[in-house]
Amino acid sequence: MIDLAEAIGLVEAAARPLGPRRVALASADGLRLAAAIAADGDSPPWDRAMMDGFAVRDADIVPDGVTELDVVVDLAAGDVTALPIPPGCCARIMTGAPLPAGADAVVPVECALDGTAGTHAGGRVRLRDGRYRAGQHVARRGTAFRRGQVVLPEGTVLSPAAIGLAVEAGATHVVVAAPPRVAILATGSELVPPDSIPAHGQTRNSNGPMIAAAVRAAGGEAVALGSVGDRPEAIRAAVAMGLAADILVLSGGVSAGDLDLVPEAFAACGVAEVFHKVRMKPGKPVWFGRRARGDGQTLVFGLPGNPASSLVCFELFVRPALAILRGLAPRHWHLPRVRGVLSAAARGAGDRPVYAPCRVHASGTGYAVEPLAWSGSSDLVGLAVAEGLMVLPAGSGTLPAGTEVDVVIRTGDGG
Ligand code: AMP
Ligand code: MG
């Protein structure tokens, strides 16, 4: 058993920032580009009609009068023609179609006179456009961007518009600073899925969704692996699968009971133990190790199964590991701490520091710390409404109201 500060130091020493990752553009929204995106072509890729109407030659237009033209081809979006438009002729064209050679401008269909608006190839159209300008209603090739041009520089956060632009520029995959992947696996033969009614002796897997939520709140991507029973082969198989992630978090099976098969499974899967058991309450049985993977590694946490222990251990050990993998500065590795004064007595625990749920109120120039009812490591009721974890030092017995204590403030993602 080691001290908490030493254990946290070992986690910090083991964790390394992840490099950028190549991910599918379709799942990259909200992420920051670690490499610029350059266009694979011009945009528009050709001179594009921007109105429904008739593609005309500027030279044919009679200013302030009626222009009569032969329609030689019909062009819907997607249609192309290799034939140039001869003088005195035009194409019937729809928005989005490439302007045919020879044509310079589009006269909107609304400008067709004498019922000629519906004229197709082979017919004759009569046009009067009082506001005609040379080159009108055409988006010229390359006016948005050119082939090879950087359209999204490194550092851009992929907004919906940026995703659209990246697709237009030909990107299918992008290099981004992606959130660490955290696989979450609950162990215990008593566990049933969160959406089922437990029979006598069964327990809903509440740690799975709870840890997944904590992972996301700390800026990670949660990969839920569900739960496995207390069978060595089953745990080993699930651990092997979870080792593909950047961090693997198990819950249950790390204390001293007969069925504490998790450390065994870790060993069988080549995970090297860094520590097992930390002087703290709740969370004493917590396990931490690492396994090499490619040119990186997987950090592996075995959190105790009791839900309050699991969550406290997540906040103290997994959260800093995630922050370091994300590349955050040290001031973002841990939840903030403040000093406060107990507004009621609180009971410590012999040889171990206690992390217990509390509320925190501003009081004068400091903070008042109000202990919440808490029956121990299986009790989430106080934690669910807690604003912090008060730290009752080892060997402190009962601390009277008025005692100064540290409080770990539970907040958002700390980064
Ligand atoms: P363990 O750490 O496996 O000895 O489990 C300690 C306690 O936590 C037992 O009462 C378990 O039923 C409970 N527990 C273990 N895993 C979970 C879980 N995923 N969700 C809720 N309770 C759990
Ligand atoms: Mg168990």
Side-chain angles (χ1 to χ4, degrees):
M1 187 138 69
I2 61 172
D3 281 333
L4 180 55
E6 186 188 347
I8 291 171
L10 289 168
V11 171
E12 290 174 354
R16 311 244 179 287
L18 291 176
R21 272 214 317 264
R22 199 171 163 76
V23 301
L25 179 61
S27 54
D29 40 304
L31 302 181
R32 190 177 292 277
L33 284 180
I37 297 176
D40 72 344
D42 295 343
S43 177
W46 13 262
D47 297 344
R48 173 185 280 150
M50 298 303 285
M51 294 284 269
D52 293 338
F54 298 88
V56 301
R57 303 171 62 98
D58 279 335
D60 287 338
I61 297 296
V62 179
D64 304 320
V66 176
T67 306
E68 208 169 319
L69 299 170
D70 289 322
V71 179
V72 293
V73 63
D74 288 349
L75 298 171
D79 292 346
V80 293
T81 175
L83 296 176
I85 304 299
C89 298
C90 69
R92 180 180 180 84
I93 197 161
M94 298 294 133
T95 303
L99 208 70
D104 316 291
V106 175
V107 174
V109 70
E110 295 79 4
C111 299
L113 305 175
D114 309 325
T116 60
T119 311
H120 288 275
R124 215 163 150 74
V125 67
R126 287 167 54 76
L127 301 171
R128 184 207 290 275
D129 185 348
R131 288 179 300 184
Y132 186 85
R133 290 167 292 105
Q136 70 177 16
H137 305 313
V138 176
R140 292 281 165 200
R141 173 177 183 167
T143 44
F145 56 78
R146 291 278 180 197
R147 177 190 171 89
Q149 182 181 328
V150 168
V151 291
L152 292 164
E154 176 184 341
T156 307
V157 173
L158 289 168
S159 65
I163 298 271
L165 178 54
V167 172
E168 198 191 342
T172 58
H173 289 73
V174 288
V175 180
V176 289
R181 287 158 302 187
V182 183
I184 300 157
L185 175 68
T187 70
S189 296
E190 77 281 24
L191 299 180
V192 292
D195 58 354
S196 54
I197 311 277
H200 186 56
Q202 294 184 324
T203 300
R204 289 190 187 102
N205 171 16
S206 57
N207 288 348
M210 175 178 72
I211 294 166
V215 163
R216 289 189 290 265
E221 177 190 334
V223 181
L225 297 183
S227 68
V228 287
D230 293 308
R231 287 176 293 114
E233 341 67 71
I235 299 177
R236 242 180 276 145
V239 166
M241 191 152 68
L243 286 173
D246 300 307
I247 296 180
L248 169 60
V249 179
L250 266 70
S251 86
V254 286
S255 52
D258 281 346
L259 289 179
D260 292 325
L261 306 165
V262 165
E264 254 171 64
F266 286 155
C269 292
V271 185
E273 178 183 316
V274 176
F275 63 73
H276 187 191
K277 296 195 168 66
V278 175
R279 222 165 275 121
M280 62 186 286
K281 183 182 177 177
K284 183 172 85 173
V286 62
W287 193 102
F288 173 61
R290 59 204 292 196
R291 184 178 190 281
R293 170 173 54 84
D295 57 358
Q297 61 175 350
T298 303
L299 298 180
V300 181
F301 294 88
L303 307 184
N306 272 308
S309 310
S310 257
L311 191 61
V312 169
C313 287
F314 180 92
E315 296 293 16
L316 296 179
F317 302 113
V318 186
R319 173 182 284 275
L322 249 167
I324 293 169
L325 267 62
R326 287 175 67 194
L328 301 187
R331 68 179 188 283
H332 296 303
W333 290 358
H334 297 280
L335 291 172
R337 277 182 183 241
V338 298
R339 291 288 281 175
V341 175
L342 287 177
S343 59
R347 192 153 50 88
D351 60 330
R352 293 180 281 157
V354 175
Y355 283 70
C358 65
R359 287 192 202 278
V360 187
H361 312 278
S363 155
T365 55
Y367 295 98
V369 180
E370 179 198 334
L372 286 162
W374 185 52
S375 65
S377 56
S378 66
D379 181 0
L380 284 178
V381 175
L383 271 176
V385 295
E387 290 153 346
L389 294 167
M390 55 183 185
V391 186
L392 311 175
S396 55
T398 293
L399 298 168
T403 309
E404 253 202 19
V405 293
D406 268 3
V407 180
V408 176
I409 305 292
R410 297 185 51 219
T411 59
D413 80 349

